[in-house]
Each structure stands twice: as structure tokens, then as C-alpha cells.
Amino acid sequence: MLARALTEEIRPDYTMDQPYFRYTGTDHAVWRQLFERQGALLQGRACDEFLSGLAGLGVAKEGIPQFDRLTEALMKATGWQIVAVPGLVPDDVFFRHLAARRFPVTWWIRKPEQMDYLQEPDVFHDIYGHVPLLMNPVFGDYMQAYGEGGLKALKLDALNYLARLYWYTVEFGLIRTKEGLRIYGSGIVSSRGESIYCLDSPSPNRLGFDLLRIMHTGYRIDTFQKSYFVIDSFDELFEATRPDFAPYYEQLRREPQIPSGAVLDSDRAIHRGTREGWDPRPDA
Ligand code: PHE
Ligand code: CO
């Protein structure tokens, strides 16, 4: 059918219309299960900014949301938009979208047998994990600045350093509140196992945020983290990343990588991990 073929066209910037007609009953059921499971778990674990962003977006448990509806709420709150993409996009494309306050979201959802683990981001990770914080003005500005910083890092051949910052903040960040440590990282909030492990397990380190230290630190994408970095506020994160990173990258090139499980004398350790049950394979 011509109309169908047209709606699934992938544009040069990798965006496409969300092919809503392609979602099956099973797809929506997977969404419902993930949504309900995380909702119950994240009370008292996720930070208030995440929980209020989620509520404000009107993302519901009924089924996979229509991206255009979410964009309406986002636009009003912070001027962000959601764009549908087929999956991971090239780095330069990703950064250009972020710099223009467009968040690329993978349209498809995982299979029922992948409820607990998935190698690549799907619509649940991208929407539930990332979009609620885009309702927050400071975090929204941070993400845009990150996109601009990404384009610059590409030119300076320094993306490996900047990618670690994304990993340890946007994907796996913790934040300190009066009530205790809370989660804001999207890779955690979209994972049942890690949303418990990151706060409750004695194994991993929980270390105070330190920009250069983070950009020095390796990471593994296939297990729970060995170290989490804790910010005190989104303002702290945004302010720390304001300076020109070019001199930082030069410094980083001269120093060796820090293994993901290491604790240094200079670290502000909130919790020094017991390393119980750690996988001995080295960092990427
Ligand atoms: N200030 C950084 C630079 O000059 C850009 C940046 C902003 C990077 C926010 C990450 C987060 O490259
Ligand atoms: Co992600």
C-alpha cells in the first residue's frame, strides 16, 4: 500500500513517522507490564524530578504512547520534541538532534522474553527512561548543551571521553536528596534489576560527581555498573559542564584510563563497594 510505504520512509536525518499501526497487542502488553513494574519500584527510588516529569507527560500504562502527544506536553514545558527513529543513529546525527532539542526515540518495543535485559535501546527505555527529565528546564538545557558538546568532541576526536560523561550521568546517574540517594539515570529507571541494585546492593561504589574523573573512567555495557557517580543537583551538573572541554580533552589524553571499579584517594566515596559477585572481565 502506497500510503503505508510513505509513512515508513526514513528521512536523511534518520527520523520517520512513528508507525503506530505496526504495534501489536503483545507490544502494548509488554509496555503495560514494564510500566507497572517500574512504577511500583521507583516510588522512593527515582528522584522527584523524574517522577513529576513522568506524571506531567501523561505517559500511561495503557500502551505505547503516541510520540506527538508527548511532544505537545514537552513543547509547553521546555521546548523539547520527540522524533521517531529506527534504532541507534550515527553519533553526529544524534548530537545534531539533541542540539536542536529533538530527542530521537527508537519506535519498536522489546519481545516478551526480553523483559529484563536488552542490548540496545527500545521505545520503553527511550521514552520511560529519558523523556521525563526533559520536562525539567535545567536537565533539558544540559541535554542540549551535551549535543553541542558532542559535535565539538567529534571534531576534536574526543568522543570516547564525552561518551563516558553521558554514560555516568544521563544513563546511570544518582542524585543526593534530603531523603537519601535517588536515581535519575535512564538506564537504571528502565531496568528492574539495576533500579534495586544501584541503591541497595553493597557491591558497587557510590562516588561524588567529578567531571574529569568520570571522563577518565571506563565502563561496561553488559553488566550492572561497578561505580555510580552522585550529583547534588542538576544545577551542579550543568555548571560543571559549562567550561570549554578542549583543554580537558588534552589533559585526559595524557593520563591513563581508570578502571570502572576503582576507588581513588581523591574520590569522595559515599559508599565504597564490597565488590561482591563482580564479573572480572575488564572495561571496554
Ligand atoms: N562545555 C562543553 C564543551 O565545551 C560542552 C558540554 C556541555 C559537554 C554539557 C557536556 C555537557 O565541550
Ligand atoms: Co539511553
Side-chain angles (χ1 to χ4, degrees), residues 65-100:
Q66 281 180 285
F67 298 168
D68 291 348
R69 298 254 171 90
L70 303 183
T71 289
E72 271 176 44
L74 272 176
M75 269 291 190
K76 277 190 206 130
T78 56
W80 273 81
Q81 265 178 278
I82 291 169
V83 291
V85 291
L88 289 171
V89 302
D91 295 326
D92 62 320
V93 174
F94 182 64
F95 294 139
R96 263 196 295 276
H97 282 305
L98 293 187

mmCIF file of all heavy atoms in Angstrom, residues 65-100:
data_model
loop_
_atom_site.group_PDB
_atom_site.id
_atom_site.type_symbol
_atom_site.label_atom_id
_atom_site.label_comp_id
_atom_site.label_asym_id
_atom_site.label_seq_id
_atom_site.Cartn_x
_atom_site.Cartn_y
_atom_site.Cartn_z
ATOM 1 N N PRO A 65 2.918 4.992 24.027
ATOM 2 C CA PRO A 65 2.332 6.307 23.761
ATOM 3 C C PRO A 65 2.542 6.780 22.333
ATOM 4 O O PRO A 65 3.450 6.318 21.635
ATOM 5 C CB PRO A 65 3.076 7.214 24.749
ATOM 6 C CG PRO A 65 4.339 6.521 25.065
ATOM 7 C CD PRO A 65 4.105 5.061 24.898
ATOM 8 N N GLN A 66 1.678 7.713 21.931
ATOM 9 C CA GLN A 66 1.877 8.378 20.639
ATOM 10 C C GLN A 66 2.851 9.526 20.868
ATOM 11 O O GLN A 66 2.625 10.392 21.712
ATOM 12 C CB GLN A 66 0.541 8.881 20.117
ATOM 13 C CG GLN A 66 -0.257 7.736 19.507
ATOM 14 C CD GLN A 66 -1.592 8.181 18.971
ATOM 15 O OE1 GLN A 66 -2.514 8.436 19.741
ATOM 16 N NE2 GLN A 66 -1.677 8.279 17.666
ATOM 17 N N PHE A 67 3.938 9.514 20.125
ATOM 18 C CA PHE A 67 5.007 10.485 20.360
ATOM 19 C C PHE A 67 4.509 11.934 20.227
ATOM 20 O O PHE A 67 4.959 12.818 20.948
ATOM 21 C CB PHE A 67 6.186 10.246 19.409
ATOM 22 C CG PHE A 67 6.842 8.895 19.574
ATOM 23 C CD1 PHE A 67 7.759 8.440 18.620
ATOM 24 C CD2 PHE A 67 6.566 8.074 20.665
ATOM 25 C CE1 PHE A 67 8.382 7.200 18.761
ATOM 26 C CE2 PHE A 67 7.179 6.836 20.819
ATOM 27 C CZ PHE A 67 8.088 6.402 19.850
ATOM 28 N N ASP A 68 3.580 12.154 19.284
ATOM 29 C CA ASP A 68 3.101 13.528 19.070
ATOM 30 C C ASP A 68 2.421 14.091 20.316
ATOM 31 O O ASP A 68 2.525 15.283 20.606
ATOM 32 C CB ASP A 68 2.131 13.580 17.883
ATOM 33 C CG ASP A 68 2.851 13.320 16.567
ATOM 34 O OD1 ASP A 68 4.096 13.337 16.565
ATOM 35 O OD2 ASP A 68 2.166 13.096 15.542
ATOM 36 N N ARG A 69 1.732 13.219 21.042
ATOM 37 C CA ARG A 69 1.077 13.673 22.283
ATOM 38 C C ARG A 69 2.111 14.098 23.313
ATOM 39 O O ARG A 69 1.945 15.096 24.011
ATOM 40 C CB ARG A 69 0.244 12.530 22.894
ATOM 41 C CG ARG A 69 -0.860 12.040 22.022
ATOM 42 C CD ARG A 69 -2.211 12.525 22.556
ATOM 43 N NE ARG A 69 -3.260 12.228 21.601
ATOM 44 C CZ ARG A 69 -3.958 11.085 21.589
ATOM 45 N NH1 ARG A 69 -3.735 10.182 22.526
ATOM 46 N NH2 ARG A 69 -4.880 10.865 20.664
ATOM 47 N N LEU A 70 3.156 13.305 23.433
ATOM 48 C CA LEU A 70 4.202 13.623 24.403
ATOM 49 C C LEU A 70 4.918 14.916 24.008
ATOM 50 O O LEU A 70 5.270 15.732 24.859
ATOM 51 C CB LEU A 70 5.215 12.476 24.504
ATOM 52 C CG LEU A 70 4.649 11.102 24.864
ATOM 53 C CD1 LEU A 70 5.783 10.093 24.990
ATOM 54 C CD2 LEU A 70 3.857 11.156 26.160
ATOM 55 N N THR A 71 5.117 15.085 22.707
ATOM 56 C CA THR A 71 5.780 16.302 22.231
ATOM 57 C C THR A 71 4.986 17.545 22.612
ATOM 58 O O THR A 71 5.565 18.574 22.970
ATOM 59 C CB THR A 71 6.003 16.235 20.704
ATOM 60 O OG1 THR A 71 7.025 15.265 20.435
ATOM 61 C CG2 THR A 71 6.445 17.571 20.136
ATOM 62 N N GLU A 72 3.651 17.446 22.578
ATOM 63 C CA GLU A 72 2.834 18.601 22.969
ATOM 64 C C GLU A 72 3.143 19.032 24.402
ATOM 65 O O GLU A 72 3.329 20.218 24.682
ATOM 66 C CB GLU A 72 1.345 18.244 22.889
ATOM 67 C CG GLU A 72 0.736 18.497 21.532
ATOM 68 C CD GLU A 72 -0.711 18.032 21.496
ATOM 69 O OE1 GLU A 72 -1.455 18.308 22.472
ATOM 70 O OE2 GLU A 72 -1.072 17.371 20.504
ATOM 71 N N ALA A 73 3.188 18.057 25.314
ATOM 72 C CA ALA A 73 3.464 18.367 26.725
ATOM 73 C C ALA A 73 4.890 18.888 26.893
ATOM 74 O O ALA A 73 5.137 19.848 27.628
ATOM 75 C CB ALA A 73 3.246 17.131 27.591
ATOM 76 N N LEU A 74 5.838 18.258 26.183
ATOM 77 C CA LEU A 74 7.238 18.668 26.274
ATOM 78 C C LEU A 74 7.453 20.083 25.757
ATOM 79 O O LEU A 74 8.166 20.877 26.355
ATOM 80 C CB LEU A 74 8.102 17.740 25.420
ATOM 81 C CG LEU A 74 8.656 16.476 26.034
ATOM 82 C CD1 LEU A 74 9.380 15.683 24.950
ATOM 83 C CD2 LEU A 74 9.618 16.790 27.175
ATOM 84 N N MET A 75 6.845 20.357 24.624
ATOM 85 C CA MET A 75 6.963 21.676 23.991
ATOM 86 C C MET A 75 6.555 22.773 24.965
ATOM 87 O O MET A 75 7.235 23.788 25.087
ATOM 88 C CB MET A 75 6.065 21.743 22.753
ATOM 89 C CG MET A 75 6.766 21.335 21.490
ATOM 90 S SD MET A 75 8.008 22.592 21.094
ATOM 91 C CE MET A 75 8.474 22.086 19.458
ATOM 92 N N LYS A 76 5.438 22.541 25.637
ATOM 93 C CA LYS A 76 4.949 23.539 26.598
ATOM 94 C C LYS A 76 5.906 23.697 27.761
ATOM 95 O O LYS A 76 6.145 24.806 28.231
ATOM 96 C CB LYS A 76 3.573 23.118 27.140
ATOM 97 C CG LYS A 76 2.449 23.516 26.225
ATOM 98 C CD LYS A 76 1.090 23.305 26.904
ATOM 99 C CE LYS A 76 0.033 23.093 25.840
ATOM 100 N NZ LYS A 76 -0.806 21.911 26.078
ATOM 101 N N ALA A 77 6.454 22.599 28.237
ATOM 102 C CA ALA A 77 7.295 22.649 29.438
ATOM 103 C C ALA A 77 8.687 23.193 29.143
ATOM 104 O O ALA A 77 9.185 24.077 29.838
ATOM 105 C CB ALA A 77 7.390 21.272 30.076
ATOM 106 N N THR A 78 9.353 22.667 28.107
ATOM 107 C CA THR A 78 10.771 23.005 27.899
ATOM 108 C C THR A 78 11.152 23.198 26.429
ATOM 109 O O THR A 78 12.327 23.437 26.134
ATOM 110 C CB THR A 78 11.680 21.882 28.458
ATOM 111 O OG1 THR A 78 11.302 20.647 27.841
ATOM 112 C CG2 THR A 78 11.550 21.765 29.969
ATOM 113 N N GLY A 79 10.202 23.050 25.515
ATOM 114 C CA GLY A 79 10.539 23.229 24.108
ATOM 115 C C GLY A 79 11.227 22.033 23.465
ATOM 116 O O GLY A 79 11.740 22.142 22.359
ATOM 117 N N TRP A 80 11.214 20.886 24.162
ATOM 118 C CA TRP A 80 11.776 19.680 23.544
ATOM 119 C C TRP A 80 10.729 18.978 22.690
ATOM 120 O O TRP A 80 9.521 19.156 22.889
ATOM 121 C CB TRP A 80 12.309 18.712 24.607
ATOM 122 C CG TRP A 80 13.727 19.015 24.978
ATOM 123 C CD1 TRP A 80 14.143 19.982 25.842
ATOM 124 C CD2 TRP A 80 14.895 18.372 24.473
ATOM 125 N NE1 TRP A 80 15.517 19.983 25.906
ATOM 126 C CE2 TRP A 80 16.000 19.007 25.085
ATOM 127 C CE3 TRP A 80 15.134 17.324 23.570
ATOM 128 C CZ2 TRP A 80 17.328 18.626 24.817
ATOM 129 C CZ3 TRP A 80 16.444 16.942 23.304
ATOM 130 C CH2 TRP A 80 17.525 17.596 23.927
ATOM 131 N N GLN A 81 11.214 18.179 21.732
ATOM 132 C CA GLN A 81 10.372 17.391 20.846
ATOM 133 C C GLN A 81 10.868 15.961 20.840
ATOM 134 O O GLN A 81 12.058 15.728 21.053
ATOM 135 C CB GLN A 81 10.594 17.868 19.407
ATOM 136 C CG GLN A 81 9.647 18.872 18.881
ATOM 137 C CD GLN A 81 10.087 19.242 17.469
ATOM 138 O OE1 GLN A 81 10.975 20.072 17.295
ATOM 139 N NE2 GLN A 81 9.502 18.603 16.485
ATOM 140 N N ILE A 82 9.977 15.026 20.544
ATOM 141 C CA ILE A 82 10.397 13.638 20.339
ATOM 142 C C ILE A 82 10.342 13.357 18.843
ATOM 143 O O ILE A 82 9.387 13.746 18.188
ATOM 144 C CB ILE A 82 9.453 12.681 21.074
ATOM 145 C CG1 ILE A 82 9.634 12.851 22.579
ATOM 146 C CG2 ILE A 82 9.698 11.236 20.673
ATOM 147 C CD1 ILE A 82 8.593 12.151 23.376
ATOM 148 N N VAL A 83 11.380 12.699 18.321
ATOM 149 C CA VAL A 83 11.332 12.244 16.932
ATOM 150 C C VAL A 83 11.562 10.733 16.905
ATOM 151 O O VAL A 83 12.381 10.209 17.660
ATOM 152 C CB VAL A 83 12.355 12.977 16.022
ATOM 153 C CG1 VAL A 83 11.955 14.442 15.844
ATOM 154 C CG2 VAL A 83 13.785 12.891 16.566
ATOM 155 N N ALA A 84 10.806 10.039 16.068
ATOM 156 C CA ALA A 84 10.941 8.582 15.948
ATOM 157 C C ALA A 84 12.111 8.244 15.046
ATOM 158 O O ALA A 84 12.342 8.904 14.036
ATOM 159 C CB ALA A 84 9.662 7.983 15.373
ATOM 160 N N VAL A 85 12.875 7.212 15.452
ATOM 161 C CA VAL A 85 13.992 6.710 14.638
ATOM 162 C C VAL A 85 13.936 5.176 14.632
ATOM 163 O O VAL A 85 13.316 4.575 15.513
ATOM 164 C CB VAL A 85 15.377 7.189 15.171
ATOM 165 C CG1 VAL A 85 15.557 8.688 14.971
ATOM 166 C CG2 VAL A 85 15.578 6.813 16.637
ATOM 167 N N PRO A 86 14.597 4.545 13.640
ATOM 168 C CA PRO A 86 14.549 3.076 13.566
ATOM 169 C C PRO A 86 15.388 2.372 14.627
ATOM 170 O O PRO A 86 15.225 1.176 14.840
ATOM 171 C CB PRO A 86 15.102 2.759 12.175
ATOM 172 C CG PRO A 86 15.557 4.024 11.569
ATOM 173 C CD PRO A 86 15.270 5.158 12.486
ATOM 174 N N GLY A 87 16.300 3.054 15.279
ATOM 175 C CA GLY A 87 17.189 2.444 16.277
ATOM 176 C C GLY A 87 18.328 3.401 16.524
ATOM 177 O O GLY A 87 18.175 4.612 16.328
ATOM 178 N N LEU A 88 19.468 2.877 16.944
ATOM 179 C CA LEU A 88 20.622 3.754 17.184
ATOM 180 C C LEU A 88 20.970 4.500 15.899
ATOM 181 O O LEU A 88 20.934 3.931 14.809
ATOM 182 C CB LEU A 88 21.821 2.917 17.656
ATOM 183 C CG LEU A 88 21.703 2.355 19.082
ATOM 184 C CD1 LEU A 88 22.832 1.372 19.373
ATOM 185 C CD2 LEU A 88 21.676 3.466 20.125
ATOM 186 N N VAL A 89 21.297 5.769 16.028
ATOM 187 C CA VAL A 89 21.649 6.578 14.860
ATOM 188 C C VAL A 89 23.129 6.976 14.973
ATOM 189 O O VAL A 89 23.699 6.927 16.053
ATOM 190 C CB VAL A 89 20.746 7.836 14.744
ATOM 191 C CG1 VAL A 89 19.277 7.445 14.666
ATOM 192 C CG2 VAL A 89 20.971 8.812 15.907
ATOM 193 N N PRO A 90 23.754 7.362 13.856
ATOM 194 C CA PRO A 90 25.172 7.765 13.919
ATOM 195 C C PRO A 90 25.376 8.921 14.907
ATOM 196 O O PRO A 90 24.477 9.737 15.107
ATOM 197 C CB PRO A 90 25.480 8.211 12.488
ATOM 198 C CG PRO A 90 24.453 7.521 11.635
ATOM 199 C CD PRO A 90 23.221 7.408 12.479
ATOM 200 N N ASP A 91 26.554 8.978 15.496
ATOM 201 C CA ASP A 91 26.841 9.970 16.540
ATOM 202 C C ASP A 91 26.532 11.402 16.112
ATOM 203 O O ASP A 91 25.910 12.162 16.859
ATOM 204 C CB ASP A 91 28.324 9.892 16.944
ATOM 205 C CG ASP A 91 28.665 8.559 17.610
ATOM 206 O OD1 ASP A 91 27.800 8.015 18.318
ATOM 207 O OD2 ASP A 91 29.796 8.071 17.416
ATOM 208 N N ASP A 92 26.978 11.770 14.922
ATOM 209 C CA ASP A 92 26.780 13.170 14.502
ATOM 210 C C ASP A 92 25.294 13.492 14.357
ATOM 211 O O ASP A 92 24.852 14.579 14.719
ATOM 212 C CB ASP A 92 27.555 13.471 13.213
ATOM 213 C CG ASP A 92 27.103 12.624 12.043
ATOM 214 O OD1 ASP A 92 26.832 11.407 12.238
ATOM 215 O OD2 ASP A 92 27.004 13.158 10.920
ATOM 216 N N VAL A 93 24.538 12.528 13.881
ATOM 217 C CA VAL A 93 23.087 12.721 13.722
ATOM 218 C C VAL A 93 22.429 12.881 15.092
ATOM 219 O O VAL A 93 21.620 13.790 15.327
ATOM 220 C CB VAL A 93 22.464 11.512 12.973
ATOM 221 C CG1 VAL A 93 20.941 11.617 12.925
ATOM 222 C CG2 VAL A 93 23.055 11.388 11.571
ATOM 223 N N PHE A 94 22.824 12.014 16.019
ATOM 224 C CA PHE A 94 22.299 12.067 17.383
ATOM 225 C C PHE A 94 22.587 13.436 18.017
ATOM 226 O O PHE A 94 21.692 14.081 18.566
ATOM 227 C CB PHE A 94 22.950 10.944 18.200
ATOM 228 C CG PHE A 94 22.458 10.850 19.622
ATOM 229 C CD1 PHE A 94 21.134 10.535 19.894
ATOM 230 C CD2 PHE A 94 23.327 11.072 20.682
ATOM 231 C CE1 PHE A 94 20.678 10.440 21.217
ATOM 232 C CE2 PHE A 94 22.879 10.978 22.001
ATOM 233 C CZ PHE A 94 21.553 10.663 22.268
ATOM 234 N N PHE A 95 23.814 13.891 17.916
ATOM 235 C CA PHE A 95 24.188 15.167 18.540
ATOM 236 C C PHE A 95 23.450 16.342 17.896
ATOM 237 O O PHE A 95 23.044 17.275 18.588
ATOM 238 C CB PHE A 95 25.701 15.390 18.455
ATOM 239 C CG PHE A 95 26.495 14.396 19.254
ATOM 240 C CD1 PHE A 95 27.668 13.859 18.751
ATOM 241 C CD2 PHE A 95 26.067 13.990 20.520
ATOM 242 C CE1 PHE A 95 28.411 12.939 19.486
ATOM 243 C CE2 PHE A 95 26.800 13.074 21.268
ATOM 244 C CZ PHE A 95 27.967 12.548 20.744
ATOM 245 N N ARG A 96 23.289 16.289 16.576
ATOM 246 C CA ARG A 96 22.574 17.393 15.913
ATOM 247 C C ARG A 96 21.126 17.460 16.387
ATOM 248 O O ARG A 96 20.588 18.541 16.579
ATOM 249 C CB ARG A 96 22.643 17.261 14.390
ATOM 250 C CG ARG A 96 23.763 18.113 13.801
ATOM 251 C CD ARG A 96 23.617 18.298 12.305
ATOM 252 N NE ARG A 96 23.768 17.013 11.627
ATOM 253 C CZ ARG A 96 24.959 16.484 11.311
ATOM 254 N NH1 ARG A 96 26.079 17.136 11.600
ATOM 255 N NH2 ARG A 96 25.028 15.324 10.701
ATOM 256 N N HIS A 97 20.507 16.297 16.595
ATOM 257 C CA HIS A 97 19.138 16.307 17.126
ATOM 258 C C HIS A 97 19.107 16.915 18.526
ATOM 259 O O HIS A 97 18.290 17.791 18.809
ATOM 260 C CB HIS A 97 18.559 14.892 17.152
ATOM 261 C CG HIS A 97 18.087 14.417 15.807
ATOM 262 N ND1 HIS A 97 17.174 15.122 15.063
ATOM 263 C CD2 HIS A 97 18.382 13.309 15.075
ATOM 264 C CE1 HIS A 97 16.932 14.471 13.918
ATOM 265 N NE2 HIS A 97 17.669 13.362 13.906
ATOM 266 N N LEU A 98 19.996 16.455 19.396
ATOM 267 C CA LEU A 98 19.992 16.985 20.768
ATOM 268 C C LEU A 98 20.222 18.503 20.779
ATOM 269 O O LEU A 98 19.554 19.236 21.508
ATOM 270 C CB LEU A 98 21.072 16.313 21.626
ATOM 271 C CG LEU A 98 20.921 14.829 21.947
ATOM 272 C CD1 LEU A 98 22.006 14.411 22.944
ATOM 273 C CD2 LEU A 98 19.545 14.482 22.502
ATOM 274 N N ALA A 99 21.170 18.943 19.961
ATOM 275 C CA ALA A 99 21.498 20.373 19.931
ATOM 276 C C ALA A 99 20.291 21.205 19.491
ATOM 277 O O ALA A 99 20.171 22.378 19.829
ATOM 278 C CB ALA A 99 22.692 20.620 19.017
ATOM 279 N N ALA A 100 19.375 20.576 18.731
ATOM 280 C CA ALA A 100 18.159 21.259 18.275
ATOM 281 C C ALA A 100 16.959 20.925 19.175
ATOM 282 O O ALA A 100 15.810 21.157 18.796
ATOM 283 C CB ALA A 100 17.863 20.871 16.823
#
